[in-house]
């Protein structure tokens, strides 16, 4: 992007009970179209960032976070006051935490770079960008 990339970006839930800080650099930013993300967030797709767990600090409201085990390997934490979904973790990549970009206060060190689980997208989703689209069983296989 440019040389105004922040070193740290704050974030939080809708009600403000949970506040956290993410230290750059992140490892990924992309749009997930999987059914679980769509249902959990009530959205066409969820724009996630992925960052090393050690770069995420919950500054306030850790005791307001409730964890929902959304699959065999993954769980999602949300604010029990306002319902905002904040952190997604998976035993498939235990060092990584996924956070919705929309819950951060401002721009991070990268822009969304791809669509994943694109073949699971809602039938009414129309995409107007040229980003690569991935899917298949892993959600990240190249689509033909
Ligand atoms: Zn909240
Ligand atoms: Zn997803």
């Amino acid at each position: 992007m440019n040389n105004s990339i922040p070193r740290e970006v704050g974030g939080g839930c809708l009600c403000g009970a949970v506040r956290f800080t993410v230290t750059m650099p992140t490892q990924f930013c992309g749009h997930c179209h999987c059914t679980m993300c769509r249902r959990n967030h009530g959205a066409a797709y969820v724009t996630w960032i992925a960052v090393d767990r050690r770069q995420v600090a919950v500054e306030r409201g850790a005791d307001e976070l409730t964890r929902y085990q959304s699959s065999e390997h993954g769980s999602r934490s949300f604010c029990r006051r306002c319902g905002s979904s904040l952190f997604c973790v998976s035993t498939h990549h235990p060092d990584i935490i996924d956070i919705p970009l929309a819950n951060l206060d401002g721009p991070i060190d990268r822009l969304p770079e791809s669509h994943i689980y694109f073949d699971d997208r809602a039938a009414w989703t129309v995409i107007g960008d040229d980003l690569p689209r991935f899917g298949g069983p892993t959600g990240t296989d190249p689509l033909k």
Side-chain angles (χ1 to χ4, degrees):
M1 293 198 322
N2 57 40
N3 53 15
S4 66
I5 291 170
R7 202 185 81 79
E8 280 187 355
V9 181
C13 64
L14 174 60
C15 77
V18 180
R19 290 291 304 169
F20 57 87
T21 302
V22 179
T23 301
M24 304 299 112
T26 61
Q27 299 187 17
F28 169 81
C29 181
H31 307 298
C32 184
H33 295 259
C34 84
T35 309
M36 288 193 293
C37 284
R38 290 193 281 113
R39 292 249 158 108
N40 186 229
H41 293 254
Y45 52 88
V46 178
T47 308
W48 292 104
I49 69 165
V51 64
D52 190 295
R53 269 176 192 272
R54 289 161 290 196
Q55 293 168 236
V56 181
V58 176
E59 315 283 358
R60 180 168 90 208
D63 54 340
E64 303 285 1
L65 287 170
T66 300
R67 186 173 293 279
Y68 168 63
Q69 187 83 32
S70 54
S71 71
E72 225 174 75
H73 62 88
S75 73
R76 295 163 188 257
S77 299
F78 59 94
C79 172
R80 65 178 180 171
R81 285 205 216 174
C82 70
S84 302
S85 288
L86 294 174
F87 305 119
C88 187
V89 295
S90 168
T91 54
H92 289 174
H93 40 75
D95 292 336
I96 297 295
I97 184 160
D98 297 318
I99 306 171
L101 180 59
N103 289 85
L104 296 179
D105 298 338
I108 59 167
D109 57 340
R110 66 181 73 221
L111 292 169
E113 52 216 28
S114 60
H115 294 271
I116 61 172
Y117 288 93
F118 191 69
D119 42 357
D120 287 346
R121 69 189 179 282
W124 40 266
T125 296
V126 177
I127 299 298
D129 64 44
D130 295 323
L131 296 177
R133 299 167 178 191
F134 300 107
T138 67
T140 56
D141 295 328
L143 290 176
K144 295 186 181 97

